[in-house]
Amino acid sequence: MSRVRADEEEYWHSSKFRAFTFDDEDDELSQLKESKRAVNSLRDIVDDDDDDLERVSWSGEPVGSISWSIKETASGSTTSLDGRDSSLQKGSSSYAALPKQASSYSLSSLFKGRNKLSSFQSLSDALTDTGVKNYAPELRRPKAEYKDYSGDWSPKDTVRRMQRGKVCSLERFRSLQDKLVLLDEAVAGHDGNVITAVLIFLKRTLRREILFRELEVRQVALCHLIHFLRETGEQKFLLDLLRFLDRTEEVALSQYREHLNIQDVEKRREFLKGCIGLPFSAEDTSHIQDHYTLLERQIIIEANDRHLEMAGQSELFRKYPRKASILNMPLVTTLFYSCFYHYTEAEGMFSSPTNLKKTFKIPDKQYVLTALAARAKLRAWGDVDALLTTKNWLGYTKKKAPIGFHRVVEILQRNNAPVQVLQEYVRLVEDVETRLNLATKYKCHDVVIETYRDLKDRMQLTAYKGKVERGSAEEEKINSILSNMQIRWKN
């Protein structure tokens, strides 16, 4: 009997299997409990808003959820422990409470997809093992590990990371000195996006007086902030900044830009009238005055023309209905409108083109170009001729075009002027090569023939004869010139 007991003691001391004890920390059941606690701690790590696709097990539990992993881990561990030794089941009452399920999952399979009943890995082994294919959704790292957000970066390192597109929290820079160092580093990095981001942070965390005082000695950052405020439309903040910097003209211009947001015409007119007294420069003051005067004229013209159009008293409005209102239009558009609908009115009328020219000091070149386009569109060739005719102090008349007769020809041709009208102005083009090109392009045959005759170029005239129709008046004219014995040809 003593020999048998000695053999049992020798067996338990020599075998790799040991008897069950509640105090054994290396036991499989202790690993199971430790694994459960590790899985429960994952609740603080996993983001509940994960958008990954959800997989469901046979029992209805979402695959990858905490409850599913605990059940699968418990069942897998129980199965492996039941096969070890029957003596372990007799020595522990907790083992009897666990159901026996033939599950092939373990806690490590939750993360790495393993299916080995013989080996049970710990949570740390499962997370660090990279040799197995990953089937379960990847768990995000805790926010404490994201140093981009909570790292103790220096201002220089923070700027560098922002330049690389990293998201960095600027809230840790609380003192004024740290904030200014951060701004200086951003300016030194020559990255406009980073400078603007830092300025937005300073604008939100500093008082205006302190921010304005510090930006006054940092002109690069100041320019970035002014541009940002104009783009975002923060007018009040911008005006306060400009007043602090004593930039009175910029303050006036910023206030003047507010008229763009006023839709009512009468309110806009009153606003512009108030802008005349702002501290503009002399040149800008004249522009503001012209703007106010122009809008005042447009209101009068619009009211009269709307009445005429609705009453049907004007044949011109019936034939050419207005496509848009004249209100808030530029000066050149207003001049074109006046030349189109009110060209013959006396100079004393507000809608008269000559009145507009005199009031706003429109240059002759701009006036002729606009009036020519308007009258040519109406095919009023008599008005075009009168516009380009001048009279000297002796009473002699001649054609004169401040814009050049080559441009006159192009405008007339664009409005489908007849060949007879085009030829009259093509002849007035001084440059011979330009005159020939225009005459050939627009088929002004008489001008081409006369030019080759004046150049005494027999060969070119003979070649051009093949381009006109046989038996036409142009061919007869060429034959008459070629047979003229008084012309001394150069070739």
Side-chain angles (χ1 to χ4, degrees), residues 194-467:
V194 176
I195 297 174
T196 303
V198 174
L199 286 172
I200 294 174
F201 169 67
L202 297 183
K203 174 177 171 289
R204 182 170 53 86
T205 58
L206 291 179
R207 289 189 301 173
R208 292 189 180 186
E209 296 78 9
I210 299 176
L211 178 62
F212 295 165
R213 185 184 68 241
E214 297 298 336
L215 289 179
E216 190 174 9
V217 296
R218 294 172 173 84
Q219 291 298 315
V220 175
L222 178 62
C223 292
H224 276 79
L225 181 59
I226 291 175
H227 179 74
F228 171 77
L229 294 175
R230 285 174 177 168
E231 289 294 322
T232 56
E234 299 185 48
Q235 191 69 15
K236 187 176 185 305
F237 196 97
L238 176 61
L239 292 177
D240 291 342
L241 175 59
L242 295 177
R243 290 191 185 99
F244 179 86
L245 300 173
D246 198 24
R247 298 184 180 182
T248 56
E249 291 187 14
E250 292 188 34
V251 172
L253 288 174
S254 298
Q255 290 181 330
Y256 168 69
R257 291 191 187 96
E258 284 296 307
H259 82 274
L260 298 174
N261 301 324
I262 303 175
Q263 300 299 327
D264 185 79
V265 180
E266 292 294 338
K267 292 182 179 179
R268 178 177 289 194
R269 182 176 66 87
E270 293 300 324
F271 181 84
L272 291 175
K273 184 177 181 181
C275 289
I276 297 176
L278 294 177
F280 291 103
S281 63
E283 183 179 1
D284 291 338
T285 301
S286 63
H287 291 325
I288 303 300
Q289 180 67 53
D290 289 343
H291 190 178
Y292 168 75
T293 305
L294 177 62
L295 182 58
E296 199 172 32
R297 293 285 185 90
Q298 289 174 346
I299 293 174
I300 297 174
I301 296 173
E302 176 68 20
N304 292 334
D305 289 355
R306 187 188 298 114
H307 175 72
L308 291 175
E309 188 176 24
M310 293 178 65
Q313 299 176 359
S314 174
E315 182 181 356
L316 187 60
F317 284 110
R318 290 197 303 268
K319 189 175 181 181
Y320 300 99
R322 299 190 309 159
K323 296 181 179 180
S325 171
I326 194 62
L327 296 175
N328 299 318
M329 291 296 176
L331 177 59
V332 175
T333 305
T334 307
L335 179 62
F336 181 90
Y337 178 92
S338 180
C339 291
F340 192 91
Y341 289 107
H342 305 281
Y343 187 72
T344 58
E345 289 184 2
E347 185 178 344
M349 301 293 294
F350 284 144
S351 56
S352 170
T354 53
N355 188 299
L356 291 174
K357 178 186 176 184
K358 183 177 180 181
T359 301
F360 297 101
K361 301 177 182 179
I362 300 176
D364 290 340
K365 184 179 292 187
Q366 182 66 63
Y367 178 80
V368 170
L369 181 64
T370 306
L372 177 64
R375 303 317 294 173
K377 192 174 185 64
L378 288 172
R379 303 179 65 84
W381 311 124
D383 293 338
V384 171
D385 184 74
L387 179 66
L388 300 175
T389 301
T390 60
K391 183 182 294 186
N392 59 14
W393 61 280
L394 292 176
Y396 296 102
T397 61
K398 68 172 184 177
K399 295 289 192 297
K400 182 180 178 181
I403 60 175
F405 283 104
H406 63 285
R407 296 194 65 184
V408 172
V409 173
E410 292 174 354
I411 293 174
L412 295 178
Q413 193 278 333
R414 199 181 304 134
N415 289 277
N416 301 318
V419 177
Q420 293 77 10
V421 176
L422 285 178
Q423 286 187 152
E424 181 179 358
Y425 297 101
V426 171
R427 288 190 180 97
L428 298 175
V429 177
E430 295 183 0
D431 185 71
V432 176
E433 185 176 356
T434 304
R435 188 195 315 155
L436 284 173
N437 291 335
L438 291 174
T440 305
K441 181 179 180 180
Y442 301 132
K443 297 181 179 181
C444 299
H445 301 303
D446 289 345
V447 178
V448 177
I449 294 171
E450 293 169 2
T451 302
Y452 285 140
R453 181 198 62 190
D454 296 338
L455 293 174
K456 300 179 182 181
D457 194 337
R458 186 185 183 92
M459 295 181 61
Q460 291 291 342
L461 186 59
T462 305
Y464 192 76
K465 180 181 177 181
K467 299 180 181 180

Side-chain angles (χ1 to χ4, degrees), residues 42 45-47 50 64 66 110-111 127 134 136-141:
L42 293 177
I45 302 176
V46 180
D47 190 357
D50 200 345
I66 300 301
L110 169 64
F111 303 100
L127 292 175
N134 188 356
E138 181 181 356
L139 299 178
R140 297 180 183 176
R141 294 181 297 171

